[in-house]
Each structure stands twice: as C-alpha cells, then as structure tokens.
C-alpha cells in the first residue's frame, strides 16, 4: 500500500493530500514561496516534490518531479492541480 503524506516547508507536520493542496493554494494566494514533499521515497529523493515561487514580475513558477514508483492516480492528481494553479 502506498502511504500518501506530505511535509510542507516550514512545518514539521505530516498532512494528507487534500490538506497539502489546501495549504499550497493558501500560500500561493498570499504569494508565499515554498515547497512540499511526500514523506515516501528513497533515501535521496521524495516520491513527489513540488517547488513554487514567484518571479520578479510576481508570476507564479511551479517546478515538480515524480519518482518512477508514484502511482498514476497520484501523478495525475498533482499534474491537474498544478495546471489549475498555474492558470490562475
């Protein structure tokens, strides 16, 4: 079974996917840069990593990566969410 929990930069809390997305939306709304990482992964890289920041024109920039072992459902969820956030 694949455990889906995330760390959000600046916190020591593990949160579930919906909570992570809600926090991500809030930080982006307030133009706060940051990152989130899945708690699962190998010793070097998390299974899911999303980094978001704002350029000099305050345009949102999102970089993300998935490890090869991430289930398609999780990858699809985050790609769709990132696409929606980037369009705002």
């Amino acid at each position: 079974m694949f455990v889906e929990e995330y760390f959000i930069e600046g916190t020591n809390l593990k949160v579930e996917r919906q909570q992570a997305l809600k926090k991500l939306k809030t930080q982006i709304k307030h133009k706060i840069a940051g990152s989130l990482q899945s708690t699962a992964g190998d010793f070097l890289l998390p299974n899911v990593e999303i980094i978001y920041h704002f350029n000099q024109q305050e345009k949102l920039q999102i970089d993300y990566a998935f490890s090869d072992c991430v289930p398609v459902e999780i990858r699809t969820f985050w790609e769709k969410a990132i696409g929606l956030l980037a369009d705002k």
Side-chain angles (χ1 to χ4, degrees):
M1 185 172 150
F2 192 84
V3 176
E4 193 179 359
E5 292 181 318
Y6 298 87
F7 283 120
I8 297 174
E9 182 180 358
T11 71
N12 292 328
L13 302 174
K14 291 180 188 177
V15 296
E16 294 180 1
R17 178 175 28 176
Q18 293 301 326
Q19 292 170 307
L21 181 58
K22 183 177 179 181
K23 181 71 170 171
L24 181 69
K25 286 179 181 178
T26 300
Q27 287 185 320
I28 289 171
K29 179 180 177 182
H30 294 289
K31 300 212 181 277
I32 300 170
S35 67
L36 71 91
Q37 297 181 341
S38 63
T39 59
D42 63 21
F43 294 110
L44 299 174
L45 299 171
N47 285 343
V48 177
E49 182 168 26
I50 301 171
I51 301 168
Y52 47 98
H53 58 93
F54 298 87
N55 65 16
Q56 290 180 343
Q57 292 80 32
E58 295 190 11
K59 181 172 168 54
L60 176 64
Q61 305 289 306
I62 302 175
D63 297 310
Y64 61 97
F66 303 106
S67 75
D68 293 338
C69 68
V70 173
V72 172
E73 185 272 329
I74 293 172
R75 184 183 301 252
T76 302
F77 172 85
W78 282 113
E79 286 175 340
K80 184 177 178 181
I82 289 166
L84 292 171
L85 290 168
D87 288 342
K88 290 188 176 189

